[in-house]
Amino acid sequence: MLIADYMKNTSAHTLSAGKSQTELHETLQQKASESMHSHGELVNGLVYGILTVPAEGNTYLRHLNIVSRDGFAHAISRLKLLATAHRFARVRPEVRLQLFWLLSELVKVSAHGMDQVVLALTRQVRSGDVTQGNVKLCWLMVRFAQANYAWLSTFPVLVATTVYMLGRVALDHSRVPDLRTAECELAIRLLRERFHECCMIGRDLVRMLQDVARIPVFHDLWQDMLQQPQSLSPLFAGIEQLLWTPTPPMFLANRITYEMETRLRFILENLPATSYSRNLMWFVQRYLSTPESESLFSDLIRYIIGVFHPSNAVLASNVVPRYVFLGGLLRFIRSPVVAANAKLALFYDWLFYDPKSDTIMNIEPGVLIIVQSVDKYTFMTASFIEFLAYESDAYSPELAAAIRGSIGLTMHDAVEKGVILSIMLIYEHPRIEVDIRQNLYHLFPQLVPPVPEPAPSEASADDAEPAKNDDAMLLDPTDMLPPAAVNSELAPEPPKPAAELPLPIAAPQPIRTISASPKTSIALDPALRMFQEEFGIADTELAPEIPTDTGNIDGISDMIVEDGAPEDAALVATTEPQYEISVEQALEDTSLWLFGSTLQAFVDSVAAAEPDVKQIGGSVKEIVDMFAQSEASISAITRILASIFSDSLDMEDVETNVELALAGESDGGLEHDLLHYILTTAADYAHTTDMTNSTRRVLQLLAQLTEAKVDVGFRWLLYSVINTGKPVQYARYVEQYVEGTLQSALVRDLGVLQEQFPGLFYTVLPQIYAAFPDAFLGCRGIVKSAIALIDQPQPLRFQI
């Protein structure tokens, strides 16, 4: 029977019709005593009434007190079912308010099992979520804990869980100062008064406190932990006690909602390594698509490492391994600060590993991601080794020797228990540089020999002929590790702000980023440099100069071509573009791992003696589709696609095709060029009303192709206005430029159209004007193009 039916058929409202208070109580008692089934239905109806009819809440609660035969056990089981619901986020605000009111009332009567309901509710408070619903839930949790502090203090696990939850979500609420203040005050009160209970969190309590250590109240607590540990608890010997205590899985799982956990487990228990990417992308778009949600990456990594331990059956199957999933998750991180925290979450147990208390399953993903990446993603292996080497000395200088010993013990235990055969595979790999080998010896002196000093002649030879990653793009489906870095020449790391430099344990800061040195380029996350390469290089480094001041026809003449200047001013900048990278370098870009051998096959087919344009066009559509749905480097894909337009492939008769489109015969029986396939694929993504990530990436690709001197602009203008009848597609494309306006883009693209296809220019000009009337008004550049053929070349020199 549905819960709504309980309310309709068995609730006190139905049973109380026409009865006095005494008769009603007797009726309820009789109904509850008939059977356990009747008792359960009646309790369900009363709980439902309390939650959904606030005005009758007190009445229904009195009835619940009368009919309960099991000390509210059944009622609490219903509340726990609600608190653990996957769709709890959709519960109406008034129902949530009543839920916490009912919990407070049950606390007053000391109902057994209430702590489990509150524990489940702490897990529904989502990290990285600053939506109104989640903020209100945080407020309800804080106020409930403040109002029932004495009751809360009697449950050690609930105390520790509440502290961990408050510390993690306080980072997200910088824009809600009142809520953050309340969270911090409650967390500090629990830590100072119940510190012994909080110690059960273990080493992740230290990680949490380091993240919030710059909040003043937490900073004072941190200093007491370091300098006066026994002021917090007589049994607290110092911070080392926490660091060498593994965090129980229940605390790591607390930061992942029940819905997230179900989605994660479905991927990690059912999907093969060859097809998990789509589900991972869906997961990221659903839960990690906002800047605020980036703090959730570390919690997800800690959950996968410390909570989800696959069975032997899963390990023996083709289901995606944890280390592969973690590698795929890392590539969605854009912030170097978040990336540094994510790597610490990945290797945190290494720093304080003890075989007697830690489990090998907590270190297995980190070991495998280092070893399995060495052949195809050497940079990833190198970046992780550099990170471990740095953290071993810098995380806590006082414990540096113990941390190095723990890291060495971690790898020794992994070899001994068969996780890997040997670390010599990394040490002897030809692509591993001397500095990385020295770091390996620094970390694992019992597993690798010391690095010999190279002879001068050998050193010079190595400098003259650096190793090449010839097969970096050949991706095995069973080894789907994501890219971790790009060529340092393409992605120079900017200097770190002083506020982000790391502090040792003695003077912590909330975010640990790694500072760079001449020999250690680990300041920014090497696993994510592809994003810095993609967004860190100014667009103007590749773009031709485009005049952005189109102005009005009010005597401004700075853009008018003077006597002696080239008459085809719109095409002055059509010299051969100077690319920063070659096609070969672009193919080696490690962010293109998803394409496998598709790009190389595409380049080879373009270079064939008799290229099949239609077949190559199909490849172009596939490449653009994959690019739109991934995080591949825009600059690398732009360079590869731009290269095809420098070859001798035939260009289509644009003028004839547009005339056929205007006549309603868009196919026309003519063969299209490769640019047409790029535009049609882009149109499939750009037709939506919402600006999705895929739409934005495709339009950014078109914009960068334009900046690479490919005549995309006027073709996309024609395609948007004439072929699809959706001018907004062109306007969105213009928005992807760092500088410039719709008016300046129209001046440029209409100028190119007028130069190359003057007849077509005058044919489509009325439709383009109808699409962008505001941009045409007062624009002297468009007027110049429109009158350029009246009496050449004098109109080009008009002072307008």
Side-chain angles (χ1 to χ4, degrees), residues 67-100:
V67 303
S68 180
R69 295 288 187 273
D70 54 4
F72 300 100
H74 187 77
I76 290 174
S77 70
R78 298 298 91 187
L79 295 179
K80 186 175 181 182
L81 183 65
L82 175 62
T84 59
H86 289 178
R87 298 189 177 183
F88 182 84
R90 301 185 183 182
V91 174
R92 292 182 299 173
E94 57 269 23
V95 175
R96 292 188 186 185
L97 190 62
Q98 281 298 106
L99 172 61
F100 280 92

Side-chain angles (χ1 to χ4, degrees), residues 1-8 44-45 47-48 51 78 81:
M1 185 180 292
L2 296 175
I3 215 165
D5 295 333
Y6 297 149
M7 189 63 187
K8 177 180 178 181
N44 287 341
V47 170
Y48 183 81
L51 296 178
R78 298 298 91 187
L81 183 65

Side-chain angles (χ1 to χ4, degrees), residues 78 222-223 228 230 282 308 355 394 523 604 613 691 696 737 767-768 789:
R78 298 298 91 187
W222 182 262
Q223 293 302 319
Q228 306 174 39
Q230 293 191 344
W282 178 93
F308 177 75
D604 294 340
V613 175
M691 192 65 166
R696 183 177 293 104
Y737 288 99
Q767 286 92 332
I768 297 176
L789 298 180

Side-chain angles (χ1 to χ4, degrees), residues 208-437:
M208 180 271 286
L209 291 174
Q210 282 186 284
D211 286 342
V212 296
R214 286 189 175 174
I215 299 176
V217 290
F218 280 104
H219 179 77
D220 296 339
L221 175 75
W222 182 262
Q223 293 302 319
D224 289 342
M225 289 178 62
L226 295 175
Q227 301 171 11
Q228 306 174 39
Q230 293 191 344
S231 66
L232 299 173
S233 171
L235 301 177
F236 183 48
I239 200 169
E240 297 86 350
Q241 176 182 332
L242 291 173
L243 292 173
W244 294 99
T245 303
T247 300
M250 61 180 173
F251 296 111
L252 300 178
N254 181 264
R255 293 297 77 233
I256 307 298
T257 65
Y258 295 99
E259 183 183 24
M260 290 183 194
E261 182 178 38
T262 301
R263 310 293 187 189
L264 275 177
R265 285 187 173 271
F266 174 79
I267 297 174
L268 295 169
E269 292 178 348
N270 298 280
L271 299 184
T274 55
S275 60
Y276 82 99
S277 299
R278 181 177 179 181
N279 295 72
L280 173 59
M281 186 173 296
W282 178 93
F283 184 90
V284 170
Q285 290 175 349
R286 185 177 181 88
Y287 301 113
L288 300 164
S289 58
T290 62
E292 295 82 7
S293 63
E294 289 184 328
S295 61
L296 187 58
F297 277 100
S298 296
D299 293 326
L300 286 170
I301 292 173
R302 295 299 293 159
Y303 173 86
I304 294 171
I305 288 175
V307 180
F308 177 75
H309 293 165
S311 63
N312 291 334
V314 172
L315 290 174
S317 67
N318 66 338
V319 173
V320 55
R322 290 188 297 166
Y323 80 93
V324 174
F325 183 86
L326 288 171
L329 189 65
L330 284 174
R331 69 186 176 91
F332 289 99
I333 302 177
R334 288 173 169 81
S335 167
V337 173
V338 176
N341 288 335
K343 285 201 295 183
L344 183 62
L346 179 61
F347 294 108
Y348 198 47
D349 293 315
W350 288 46
L351 306 183
F352 312 101
Y353 180 74
D354 182 356
K356 296 180 181 179
S357 56
D358 288 273
T359 171
I360 192 68
M361 295 299 290
N362 287 359
I363 65 169
E364 178 244 21
V367 172
L368 291 178
I369 202 172
I370 288 176
V371 175
Q372 298 295 339
S373 305
V374 69
D375 284 330
K376 299 183 180 181
Y377 305 102
T378 311
F379 45 81
M380 175 180 283
T381 297
S383 68
F384 288 145
I385 293 172
E386 287 180 327
F387 176 82
L388 285 171
Y390 183 91
E391 288 292 301
S392 66
D393 295 326
Y395 185 78
S396 176
E398 295 82 0
L399 301 175
I403 291 176
R404 284 197 301 272
S406 177
I407 294 175
L409 184 59
T410 298
M411 191 63 73
H412 181 273
D413 209 28
V415 174
E416 188 178 74
K417 294 183 178 179
V419 177
I420 58 174
L421 295 178
S422 172
I423 199 175
M424 290 300 294
L425 174 67
I426 301 175
Y427 185 83
E428 296 176 346
H429 199 280
R431 294 178 188 156
I432 292 295
E433 298 179 356
V434 174
D435 288 347
I436 305 303
R437 290 193 179 96

